[in-house]
Amino acid sequence: MSAQLRNFINGEYVAARAESSFELIDPATEQTYGTSPVSSREDVDTAYAAAAAAFEGWGETTPAERQLALFRIADAMEARAEEFADLESRDTGKPRATLVADEILLSVDQIRFFAGEARHLGGMSAGEYLKDHTSFVRREPIGVIGQVTPWNYPLNMAVWKFAPALAAGNTTVLKPSDTTPSSTLLLAEVAAEFLPPGVLNVITGDRTTGAAMIEHKTPQMVSITGSVRAGMEVAKSAANDLKRVHLELGGKAPVVVFDDADIPSAVRGIVSAGYFNAGQDCTAATRVLVQAGIHDEFVAALAAHARENAKTGAPTAADVFFGPVNNARQLAQVEGIIERLPDNAVLELGGHRQGSTGYFHEATIVSGLEQTDEAIQNEIFGPVITVQRFSTEAQALEWANGVQYGLASSVWTKNHGRAMRFAKHLDFGCVWINTHIPIVAEMPHGGFKHSGYGKDLSSYGFEDYTRVKHVMSFIGE
């Protein structure tokens, strides 16, 4: 792929009619390795025109045809897994050694899941719900979809967007993050061998390009994964046209550890789920609440395990668990949170940038925080775990739910009744019990409150990309 990236529209690479471009920066070295255009409104027009033209044919294909295309895309992607991993590691800074197993093959599996869903549309049975009238339900594609993905999981989030949309018979225009476009463009290139031109289009750009996509008259639905701020802006813009909106936004997952929990198991799980991808995950286990009886023992064990196992360094190194944060702005955000910690905070581990080159930050643990502190209320999106001490179930539940987000959570306890009570009352779209962060294609992913609405993955995520039509026929004489 050229160092000067181009858009992928109507089945081929095309030069953008952009007036500006941005540099692509390797987060591990801070070196420029390419440039990417800021696609103009003309580019957005062209991409949506291609998607609209393609929908006339793609929307009429059978589920079997769509399934076969997605299976072939998944197979081709698997065959080029190492190439995808190279691009993803360079763009994001993720450790290269584990990237194929951790993310590329996971994305392949998710495409295959949605291929299966293409032939599995459920609904009410046809029947006479009114005398002399037969009713049935049609599930239909929505049309053209506008989609925007983030930089923390560029390829995986592109799959979560395009696969259910195409499986349902829609066409799409997708914009990856400005810092991580490479793997998504390769995905479009691979998919083009098995799709009619215009079914999947990818354009590069920044916030202005994304805004032009959302404001455009063509898409009937817009879907983004991003920040709460971005989600609110999208919802406001889409409201002007009454577009459907699918939002997967930020998170601040509570991890509630009771005094009967298996401490070694909880420590291992939380370190892994808190520092994976440098904590740049809206479901990351970074807000830990520990019951008073084991608090001190737990914090000491957490710090010791993280010190030994949560190492950061160059993506090419074999012994690192996470790489740099993705960009200079994100590193500044993490450093700013640490600098502004209140006097009551206790820095148990880390707390500093690592080295002077690359956006590396040490694995960090902060205890002593209060519920109203910035580090508890705001998403840090970096390798920082906070720990709070609680006394009772009621206090733990109040603090766990006492944030603006509602995406994911976990509870660690041997008490089944307590686990079920928290599963019921935690105000989050996912509750894990004695584990944290595993995701499977068959189960829905999506949140409440400021974490957005709509579901990714699962049959629920597939149904989000369909519309329901009631058909009634008079059958009387």
Side-chain angles (χ1 to χ4, degrees):
M1 186 177 295
S2 170
Q4 171 62 56
L5 299 187
R6 296 179 293 164
N7 292 331
F8 197 92
I9 299 175
N10 213 27
E12 61 182 359
Y13 284 108
V14 295
R17 287 168 287 188
E19 295 182 357
S20 63
S21 63
F22 46 87
E23 293 183 333
L24 297 173
I25 308 294
D26 185 328
T29 65
E30 298 185 56
Q31 297 298 307
T32 299
Y33 60 85
T35 59
S36 185
V38 177
S39 296
S40 66
R41 289 184 179 271
E42 287 182 310
D43 297 314
V44 174
D45 288 342
T46 301
Y48 274 133
F55 178 68
E56 294 181 11
W58 185 252
E60 296 296 323
T61 55
T62 65
E65 291 173 298
R66 299 195 294 271
Q67 180 188 61
L68 182 57
L70 287 170
F71 275 141
R72 286 173 170 169
I73 292 169
D75 290 347
M77 185 174 168
E78 184 174 27
R80 299 177 70 172
E82 299 294 337
E83 187 177 351
F84 275 103
D86 287 341
L87 293 177
E88 199 80 336
S89 181
R90 184 189 65 185
D91 276 7
T92 64
K94 297 181 184 189
R96 177 61 179 83
T98 57
L99 199 48
V100 170
D102 286 347
E103 296 187 34
I104 310 303
L105 296 183
L106 186 68
S107 296
V108 169
D109 175 72
Q110 289 161 353
I111 295 173
R112 288 174 177 153
F113 170 80
F114 284 116
E117 284 297 294
R119 301 178 73 168
H120 192 253
L121 274 172
M124 292 182 65
S125 61
E128 289 66 54
Y129 300 97
L130 177 67
K131 182 178 173 61
D132 294 331
H133 295 75
T134 297
S135 288
F136 63 92
V137 169
R138 291 178 55 89
R139 274 201 177 269
E140 301 175 341
I142 296 169
V144 177
I145 314 295
Q147 301 176 315
V148 179
T149 55
W151 47 255
N152 59 333
Y153 293 102
L155 182 63
N156 195 225
M157 294 298 99
V159 166
W160 286 20
K161 300 299 185 195
F162 98 88
L166 269 57
N170 304 285
T171 57
T172 185
V173 175
L174 193 157
K175 189 194 84 66
S177 168
D178 54 356
T179 66
T180 56
S182 305
S183 62
T184 305
L185 285 166
L186 179 59
L187 172 64
E189 176 188 320
V190 168
E193 183 179 349
F194 312 105
L195 297 173
V199 171
L200 172 60
N201 307 277
V202 175
I203 61 173
T204 67
D206 59 11
R207 291 176 58 184
T208 61
T209 310
M213 288 178 60
I214 304 305
E215 295 166 2
H216 204 277
K217 296 295 184 182
T218 296
Q220 286 79 56
M221 175 178 173
V222 292
S223 173
I224 80 156
T225 298
S227 68
V228 173
R229 174 198 53 75
M232 289 180 172
E233 291 176 358
V234 167
K236 290 176 183 177
S237 177
N240 294 327
D241 228 8
L242 290 179
K243 294 182 179 77
R244 291 193 185 200
V245 179
H246 183 283
L247 303 175
E248 200 272 278
L249 309 177
K252 192 70 175 173
V255 182
V256 184
V257 183
F258 283 94
D259 56 12
D260 66 339
D262 182 326
I263 293 178
S265 177
V267 163
R268 289 192 302 270
I270 292 167
V271 167
S272 178
Y275 295 121
F276 184 79
N277 197 25
Q280 298 168 123
D281 188 317
C282 46
T283 66
T286 55
R287 182 167 65 102
V288 182
L289 292 79
V290 183
Q291 197 162 24
I294 62 168
H295 176 274
D296 293 351
E297 177 187 359
F298 188 89
V299 170
L302 189 71
H305 191 76
R307 186 179 294 109
E308 182 65 26
N309 296 280
K311 297 178 181 178
T312 186
T316 54
D319 62 341
V320 299
F321 184 66
F322 64 93
V325 297
N326 180 253
N327 53 76
R329 183 172 56 188
Q330 191 59 32
L331 177 62
Q333 175 171 311
V334 175
E335 291 182 306
I337 290 281
I338 300 299
E339 290 170 2
R340 295 189 298 274
L341 286 172
D343 293 339
N344 50 284
V346 178
L347 199 59
E348 305 281 354
L349 179 71
H352 305 95
R353 178 177 181 175
Q354 180 170 297
S356 57
T357 301
Y359 309 132
F360 297 96
H361 196 282
E362 299 171 325
T364 297
I365 297 174
V366 183
S367 68
L369 292 170
E370 299 177 0
Q371 183 67 13
T372 56
D373 289 337
E374 177 189 21
I376 297 298
Q377 291 296 318
N378 294 341
E379 189 172 33
I380 301 173
F381 224 59
V384 180
I385 291 177
T386 63
V387 185
Q388 295 170 268
R389 183 196 305 261
F390 73 86
S391 298
T392 64
E393 277 193 27
Q395 186 179 57
L397 189 63
E398 178 186 356
W399 287 357
N401 287 336
V403 293
Q404 64 177 327
Y405 304 98
L407 185 58
S409 59
S410 66
V411 56
W412 301 72
T413 180
K414 296 175 183 175
N415 185 313
H416 177 73
R418 174 189 287 151
M420 292 299 99
R421 287 193 296 276
F422 270 70
K424 177 181 179 181
H425 294 296
L426 282 167
D427 197 13
F428 296 83
C430 177
V431 180
W432 288 291
I433 298 172
N434 293 325
T435 188
H436 194 108
I437 225 168
I439 289 176
V440 293
E442 293 83 357
M443 289 292 115
H445 177 88
F448 311 141
K449 302 189 292 188
H450 281 197
S451 290
Y453 42 80
K455 297 297 181 183
D456 290 307
L457 301 178
S458 78
S459 60
Y460 300 101
F462 177 56
E463 289 174 0
D464 276 358
Y465 286 95
T466 67
R467 65 183 191 181
V468 176
K469 180 186 289 182
H470 169 216
V471 180
M472 178 183 278
S473 176
F474 176 66
I475 60 173
E477 296 181 359

